[in-house]
Amino acid sequence: MSDLAEALRDTAQAVEARLSTLIPETDGAAAPLYKAMRYSALGGGKRLRPFLALQSARLFDAGETGALRAAAAVELVHCYSLVHDDLPAMDDDDLRRGRPTTHIAFDEATAILAGDGLLTLAFEVLADPETHPDGDVRAALVAALARAAGMAGMVGGQMIDLAAEHRTLDLERIIELQRLKTGALIGCSCAVGAILGGADATAGAALDDYARDLGLAFQIADDLLDVEGDESQLGKGVGKDAAAGKATFVSLLGVDGARARAAGLVADAAARLDMFDSRADLLRAVAEYVINRGH
Ligand code: GRG
């Protein structure tokens, strides 16, 4: 097993265990909510965002307990976004992470509440002194995640994406949309590590630049997988962008152009980490993995 595969597996196991503790099983009146939250957060996903958070935190020797909690918080927001994105009012998807989506496995109202529960739990986790003893650090974590998830980040990007179903976006606008919709949370994953580790401005900016290139490469790879990927391997529906007539990196650049752009971004992302020398090797390796997954 490669160092990266081993590190991704270790992260996935640690995050799974932490999330399972954070969302307990219960037999009270709200049991279906807890069940739907566990269903949505456990047992799947690449756990890419937690991996970025943990690896970034390790660059600055931040404590592992806090880093894992921050990593879990970012993943909770990601899981909520998937549950809500799959709802009939949004993408109306039946399959996610190889299983029925939450509103199919439960019902629509429970899925909405499960998403709400995951989102709010993320902030409870960050605000807990177990994440960091210093209240200023906890406030900085909360602010970073709120900014990335909210109107000037993921939710704003989703709104622009929904509005774009009725018009064709050019490349510049697609880059802007994706920077918000998927890039902001990827950037925040690295940022929480830097915040926990007390990174200086230069190191924080290097990680920001890395995450920006990586986020765009990730989205281009996702567009390529929508065209070339295999539904059973990916565990979610494919071909949806073309069916919806949506402009994507692939429709604008072509398959070869999109692949070349993603490869260029991964090389740029790796170079952004020069100041961390070999300590950032796993962050460089995961950037390569992001554009090669599913192939
Ligand atoms: C509904 C508020 C709200 C936001 C939705 C991010 C997002 C915004 C929706 C996700 C829909 C989607 C398929 C976006 C494309 C890129 C993406 C985020 C893919 C899923 O992320 P992965 O590949 O998934 O990291 P896993 O399952 O591995 O965690």
Side-chain angles (χ1 to χ4, degrees):
M1 190 184 273
S2 70
D3 288 352
L4 176 67
E6 203 173 325
L8 281 167
R9 186 203 55 196
D10 290 350
T11 298
Q13 283 173 355
V15 169
E16 182 83 7
R18 174 55 51 188
L19 290 173
S20 182
T21 312
L22 289 169
I23 314 168
E25 288 181 89
T26 172
D27 51 10
L33 172 68
Y34 285 66
K35 220 171 158 205
M37 286 172 68
R38 287 178 65 84
Y39 180 83
S40 307
L42 303 179
K46 296 177 289 298
R47 310 301 196 189
L48 172 67
R49 292 154 194 81
F51 183 83
L52 294 173
L54 286 171
Q55 292 302 324
S56 299
R58 283 177 194 161
L59 289 176
F60 309 101
D61 296 321
E64 284 286 315
T65 304
L68 187 55
R69 291 177 63 88
V74 177
E75 184 69 9
L76 285 166
V77 171
H78 172 58
C79 293
Y80 125 78
S81 81
L82 299 180
V83 173
H84 280 196
D85 187 67
D86 290 333
L87 286 167
M90 300 239 187
D91 257 12
D92 196 10
D93 276 310
D94 292 349
L95 191 66
R96 168 71 64 187
R97 292 175 166 174
R99 295 180 303 173
T101 46
T102 306
H103 66 276
I104 298 288
F106 295 82
D107 58 43
E108 221 176 306
T110 309
I112 292 170
L113 291 174
D116 294 341
L118 295 170
L119 173 63
T120 39
L121 177 59
F123 292 99
E124 189 182 333
V125 170
L126 291 183
D128 191 309
E130 261 194 63
T131 300
H132 199 280
D134 183 338
D136 287 346
V137 171
R138 299 200 298 277
L141 292 171
V142 166
L145 186 58
R147 266 196 306 273
M151 62 191 176
M154 186 178 70
V155 171
Q158 179 78 346
M159 187 74 248
I160 299 171
D161 199 16
L162 291 176
E165 277 169 22
H166 308 291
R167 56 203 172 90
T168 305
L169 300 185
D170 60 20
L171 190 59
E172 203 178 318
R173 281 176 202 274
I174 290 200
I175 290 173
E176 175 61 10
L177 183 169
Q178 300 304 348
R179 196 178 63 74
L180 300 175
K181 184 178 153 183
T182 54
L185 203 58
I186 287 176
C188 178
S189 307
C190 295
V192 294
I195 292 168
L196 281 169
D200 65 23
T202 311
L207 269 180
D208 268 358
D209 291 342
Y210 159 82
R212 198 176 45 250
D213 292 336
L214 174 68
L216 203 50
F218 174 89
Q219 189 57 54
I220 296 174
D222 204 66
D223 286 357
L224 280 162
L225 287 171
D226 193 61
V227 175
E228 304 178 310
D230 174 49
E231 183 162 311
S232 60
Q233 203 185 336
L234 288 172
K236 64 175 184 176
V238 293
K240 294 204 60 156
D241 293 338
K246 263 172 114 173
T248 66
F249 288 106
V250 176
S251 73
L252 291 168
L253 299 171
V255 167
D256 291 343
R259 260 199 220 121
R261 178 70 76 105
L265 283 161
V266 165
D268 291 347
R272 306 284 194 186
L273 302 173
D274 281 354
M275 68 175 288
F276 302 113
D277 54 59
S278 62
R279 286 173 301 141
D281 278 351
L282 284 171
L283 285 172
R284 295 186 189 96
V286 83
E288 286 285 344
Y289 159 81
V290 154
I291 61 161
N292 292 320
R293 75 204 151 101
H295 291 293

